[in-house]
Amino acid sequence: MLVRDWMTPDPITVLPDTPVMDALKILKERGFRRLPVMQDGQLIGITTRKDLKDAMPSKATTLSVWELNYLLSKLTVSEMMARPVITASEGEYMEDAALRMQEHAVGGLPVLDDFGQLCGIITITDVLRAFTNIMGLREGGKRLTLDMPDVPGSLERATQAIQPSNIISVATYHKDAEAGRRRFVMRVTGEGVRDVRARVRAVGIDVLD
């Protein structure tokens, strides 16, 4: 699963001299949370709805309406944008982009093509869409969580027991690495799905749900 398959292509952008109020209006009208900042065709920053709102004067300010309007008219995106920009490449794997978001505590990444040009944006929402797709949630069927020894052949043993049902998704993670156990989360459909848990338990595999 590549970033290009899940990103929003051709994102709306702003210039560094775009007034903050104009940028906020774009975000509100389009329902976005972040805007890449471009200058001379190059990505130079990114700004978010939170960044822009944080720039707004406090409601407790003693400034007059005229003073507020004057200050806001002078405040531009360049003063609020984050840089350097953490990006993703359109040809990289989704999990690599998701890990970068986690490591840098950001909710979205501008996406660059092979020539270093902005071509999209990938967000946490896109990561969640990809995750639910991988897990086969929209395809129905039955979900199984299996607890098995973390050794070669464990998955093969489980898949043989699951037949003739069809496995449409598999995910795996360590529950307790020291104990040498691994959990497999599967979604199965088709023939024999009603009794699939019983078949798996019959070969000595722990079925948690």
Side-chain angles (χ1 to χ4, degrees):
M1 299 183 74
L2 302 180
V3 166
R4 68 165 61 95
D5 299 323
W6 296 94
M7 70 182 188
T8 298
D10 303 319
I12 301 296
T13 65
V14 291
L15 298 170
D17 60 357
T18 300
V20 165
M21 293 301 293
D22 289 351
L24 277 171
K25 182 179 179 182
I26 293 171
L27 289 172
K28 182 178 180 180
E29 290 178 347
R30 297 301 187 101
F32 300 150
R33 293 180 180 271
R34 51 192 58 79
L35 289 168
V37 185
M38 303 289 289
Q39 186 172 47
D40 299 326
Q42 297 297 313
L43 177 69
I44 64 168
I46 188 167
T47 190
T48 68
R49 183 184 302 174
K50 182 179 185 303
D51 294 334
L52 297 174
K53 284 189 173 181
D54 286 347
M56 297 294 99
S58 167
K59 292 182 179 179
T61 182
T62 58
L63 295 175
S64 70
V65 172
W66 302 107
E67 290 171 320
L68 278 174
N69 288 337
Y70 175 77
L71 289 175
L72 291 176
S73 69
K74 297 295 183 181
L75 190 61
T76 63
V77 166
S78 64
E79 299 172 68
M80 306 307 303
M81 68 183 184
R83 57 178 155 185
V85 191
I86 303 163
T87 63
S89 299
E90 65 170 342
E92 73 175 310
Y93 294 119
M94 279 291 289
E95 59 265 33
D96 292 329
L99 179 60
R100 196 172 308 117
M101 288 187 210
Q102 182 181 23
E103 290 175 341
H104 293 277
V106 295
L109 301 173
V111 181
L112 305 181
D113 63 19
D114 294 339
F115 302 99
Q117 298 298 304
L118 180 71
C119 63
I121 192 163
I122 193 84
T123 70
I124 290 294
T125 299
D126 299 318
V127 173
L128 291 175
R129 284 196 301 117
F131 174 74
T132 56
N133 182 274
I134 289 172
M135 298 302 293
L137 293 179
R138 296 186 184 278
E139 297 185 52
K142 184 167 291 188
R143 182 184 189 275
L144 303 176
T145 301
L146 313 181
D147 185 78
M148 295 187 288
D150 190 9
V151 297
S154 286
L155 182 57
E156 180 183 7
R157 183 169 163 234
T159 57
Q160 288 178 347
I162 287 171
Q163 293 178 18
S165 299
N166 183 39
I167 300 172
I168 61 173
S169 72
V170 180
T172 176
Y173 64 97
H174 273 298
K175 175 61 177 177
D176 186 347
E178 293 183 0
R181 307 288 292 181
R182 181 171 285 273
R183 291 196 175 172
F184 293 83
V185 180
M186 302 182 179
R187 186 165 292 274
V188 300
T189 62
E191 183 182 351
V193 72
R194 182 188 299 272
D195 304 315
V196 65
R197 288 191 176 94
R199 293 199 304 276
V200 175
R201 288 192 176 106
V203 299
I205 296 174
D206 293 334
V207 181
L208 304 183
D209 62 32

